[in-house]
Amino acid sequence: MLLKIENLDVFIGSTQILRNVSLGVNEGEIVCLLGRNGAGKSSIIKSTIGLYPSRSGKIIFKEKEITPLSPRKKVLSGIGYSPEDTRIFTELTVEENINLSTWVTGKGEHFDAEKIFTIFPAIQKFLDRKGLNLSGGEKKMVSIARALALNPSLLLLDEAFEGLAPLVVNHFIEALHRIRKLGVTILLAESNVRTASQVSERSYIVERGEMIFEGHPRQILENEKLLKLVGR
Amino acid sequence: MWIIYTLNGLYFAALLFLISLGLNIILGVMGILNLAHGSLYAIGAFIAAWIIIAIGAKIPPFFLYITLLSGFVLTGIVGLIMEKSLIRFMYKRTLEYQLLLTFGALMLLEDVIKMIWGGQAYYASAPFDLLGKADIFGHVYPTYFLFVMIIALIAGLLIWLFMSKTKLGIMLRAISLDREMATGIGLDINRLSTFAFVLGSALAGLAGALVVPTTPALLGFGHEPLILGFIVVVVGGLGSLKGALVGALLVGFTRSFGIAIFPEIELPLLFLIAGIILVVKPEGLFGR
C-alpha cells in the first residue's frame, strides 16, 4: 500500500475536525474522498501533506511513517499537492508557477515540459500569462501541472473538478487517467459522486470528520441513504 | 524655493523608500509586523558612523562611500541573529505575540545600542562634506542628498530585478502571495523567511547608514522613521514595490512641503492621509 492513514485525529484549536480517520491507497489507484462541503475531505488532504498537524494517529507513505514530517519533507518524499479554490500564485506567470516545483526538488531550472504538455497540451499557449489572467479551468490545470512537476508518486488533488463546466470536467477526467498511466497514484477530494464514479474504483465517504463508508462509487449511486449523505 | 522643497521631498522619499521596502518584504513574506525595524535602521546609522569616525581619515574618499555599505551588511547580520534567536519562534503565533516580541526586540536593541555606543551622539559628516554643493537652477543644494537619491534608486532597481528575475526572488514572492500554498508545495519557508528578514534588516541598515552623514545618530534615532515607514506601507500597500515607491514619494513630499507651508500640522496630516487610505482602500494604493 502506497499511503496508509491510521486512526488520525486532527484539531484546529480546541475543535476536532478529523476523528479516528483511517484509509488506504494502493499504488496506481485513483481513490476519491466524497462528502458534503465541510465534511472533512480537504482536512484529510491537508493533514496528509502536513498543513494540519495531527494530534494522534499515523500517516504511512511507502512503508515509512511520515506523520511528524514538515510539508516540505513530505513533498520531497514524493507527495504532490494541488489545493482547492483554483489556488495558484496569481502574480506569477504560469511558467514560474510550475517551475517552483522544480526548484523545490533542486533537480533543474525548468520543469519537464514534454511530460506536462502531454497531460495538459493547452498550457503551452499561456505559459507567459500571469495567474491572475487565467480562467478557473486554466488555473486548475496549472495547479495540477505544478504538483506533477515534482515527479510525485502520490498526487493529492483537492476539489479538482469544482466549478468546472461539464465539458471541461470530461477533459480533466481524461487528464487524470493520463496521469495515472504515468505511474502516479491519486487521492482526490471530490463533492460530486457521479464525477467520482468516472474516475475512481474506490471511494470513501467522509461525514463530520469521520469515515463512514468505503466502496465503489457505483455503490453510492445505487444507495439512496448514501447519496443523501454525499449531498448529490 | 520650490525646487529645494521638491528635492528635499525626493531625498526624504528615498530614505523612506529603503526603510519601507525592508518593512514591506518582512511583512509580506513573513507576515510579521516588525516593530524593531526602526532600531535596525538606528543600528545601521551607528555602525556606519562608528566606522567612518574610526577609519574615515585614513582611507581614500571613494572608500569612504563604500563604508556606508557596512550599515547594509552588518545590520543584515544583526537581522540574521535576531531571526534565528527570536523571530522564528513567532511564525505560528498570533499577531499579538508577534507585536509583543518585536516590541521587546526594539527595547533590547535600544539597550544594545546604549551598551555599545553609550548615550552620546555619533556624527560622521565626512561623506556629506566631501561631496560639497551642487548648483541646481541657481539654487545651491548638497550633492550628498542627490547621492542618496541615486543609491535608493539603484537599490530599488536591484530589488526589483532580484524579485522578478531570480529563483530566490520568485520564491519569496510566492510566499508573500500565499504562505499556506507555498508551504503545501514544499518551499523551504524557514530558510526563505530568514533570508527575507536579513534582506529587510539590511535595507533598514542601509537607510540608517545613508542618513548618518547628515544627522547625528542618537538613542531613539529609529522611532520616527519606523512610524513613517508604517505610514508608507499603509499608503502604498503590502507586497508592492510600486506601492512602496509611491507611498514614500507621497509621504516625502507631504513632509517637505508641509514643513514649509503648514509646519504645525505636517505630521498629523500624514496620519490623516494614512487614516483615509485605511478607510477608503484598506489594502493601500497598490496593495493586494
Side-chain angles (χ1 to χ4, degrees), chain A residues 82-102:
Chain A
S82 166
E84 62 182 329
D85 301 331
T86 60
R87 274 166 78 181
I88 60 166
F89 300 107
T90 49
E91 284 180 28
L92 303 186
T93 65
V94 169
E95 193 170 13
E96 287 167 343
N97 262 284
I98 305 174
N99 271 339
L100 279 172
S101 292
T102 319

Side-chain angles (χ1 to χ4, degrees), chain A residues 72 87 89 91 103 109, chain B residues 167 174 178 180-181 186 288:
Chain A
R72 178 174 166 76
R87 274 166 78 181
F89 300 107
E91 284 180 28
W103 301 339
E109 295 292 306
Chain B
K167 277 201 293 193
D178 191 331
E180 188 190 67
M181 187 166 52
R288 291 189 293 270

Side-chain angles (χ1 to χ4, degrees), chain A residues 38-81:
Chain A
K41 307 180 300 285
S42 294
S43 301
I44 293 174
I45 297 275
K46 284 183 175 176
S47 302
T48 308
I49 195 67
L51 289 173
Y52 290 168
S54 58
R55 192 171 283 186
S56 62
K58 280 182 181 174
I59 303 172
I60 297 157
F61 178 62
K62 292 182 184 168
E63 292 173 2
K64 280 185 192 156
E65 191 181 347
I66 57 161
T67 324
L69 296 186
S70 67
R72 178 174 166 76
K73 286 188 175 156
K74 287 180 179 173
V75 166
L76 290 175
S77 74
I79 304 178
Y81 167 59

Side-chain angles (χ1 to χ4, degrees), chain B residues 9-286:
Chain B
L10 284 172
Y11 164 69
F12 200 53
L15 291 171
L16 280 176
F17 175 61
L18 290 175
I19 296 167
S20 60
L21 200 55
L23 208 54
N24 214 325
I25 289 171
I26 293 171
L27 188 56
V29 174
M30 306 168 76
I32 284 179
L33 202 60
N34 182 21
L35 293 181
H37 198 71
S39 303
L40 292 164
Y41 163 88
I43 283 177
F46 274 100
I47 287 172
W50 197 34
I51 291 175
I52 290 168
I53 291 166
I55 61 165
K58 300 167 200 160
I59 55 173
F62 172 75
F63 288 103
L64 197 59
Y65 295 94
I66 300 290
T67 59
L68 293 175
L69 284 176
S70 61
F72 179 81
V73 175
L74 296 176
T75 311
I77 293 171
V78 172
L80 178 70
I81 297 165
M82 201 173 146
E83 199 277 337
K84 293 267 184 206
S85 58
L86 288 173
I87 305 291
R88 69 169 37 202
F89 302 106
M90 285 297 116
Y91 291 154
K92 287 179 183 166
R93 299 278 183 150
T94 54
L95 183 67
E96 306 90 77
Y97 283 99
Q98 294 176 2
L99 288 176
L100 276 172
L101 182 92
T102 56
F103 184 70
L106 180 154
M107 309 298 276
L108 192 75
L109 289 177
E110 292 289 307
D111 278 346
V112 168
I113 290 172
K114 208 192 293 181
M115 208 168 71
I116 298 174
W117 291 289
Q120 77 266 35
Y122 272 73
Y123 194 75
S125 63
F128 179 88
D129 299 336
L130 268 172
L131 283 180
K133 311 261 180 189
D135 188 317
I136 295 170
F137 300 113
H139 297 276
V140 175
Y141 195 72
T143 314
Y144 183 78
F145 287 176
L146 302 173
F147 168 76
V148 170
M149 291 175 214
I150 293 166
I151 295 294
L153 196 66
I154 292 170
L157 276 172
L158 289 176
I159 293 288
W160 175 77
L161 280 172
F162 169 72
M163 286 294 192
S164 53
K165 305 286 176 204
T166 68
K167 277 201 293 193
L168 196 54
I170 292 168
M171 286 195 272
L172 287 176
R173 277 166 64 212
I175 299 177
S176 113
L177 287 165
D178 191 331
R179 194 179 175 84
E180 188 190 67
M181 187 166 52
T183 310
I185 67 162
L187 293 184
D188 192 343
I189 304 290
N190 284 345
R191 201 170 58 90
L192 290 165
S193 295
T194 304
F195 182 82
F197 196 82
V198 170
L199 180 62
S201 304
L203 284 168
L206 177 65
L210 285 172
V211 89
V212 84
T214 67
T215 319
L218 288 161
L219 274 178
F221 190 63
H223 296 174
E224 194 183 300
L226 172 72
I227 294 165
L228 295 174
F230 276 129
I231 293 178
V232 171
V233 174
V234 166
V235 172
L238 184 61
S240 162
L241 195 71
K242 195 164 46 172
L245 182 64
V246 173
L249 284 169
L250 192 71
V251 173
F253 283 128
T254 308
R255 191 102 205 263
S256 168
F257 284 95
I259 289 169
I261 303 165
F262 32 74
E264 301 84 1
I265 58 160
E266 158 255 326
L267 208 55
L269 188 66
L270 290 174
F271 289 116
L272 183 69
I273 292 171
I276 291 169
I277 296 278
L278 278 175
V279 171
V280 179
K281 208 167 182 297
E283 72 278 15
L285 295 175
F286 296 94

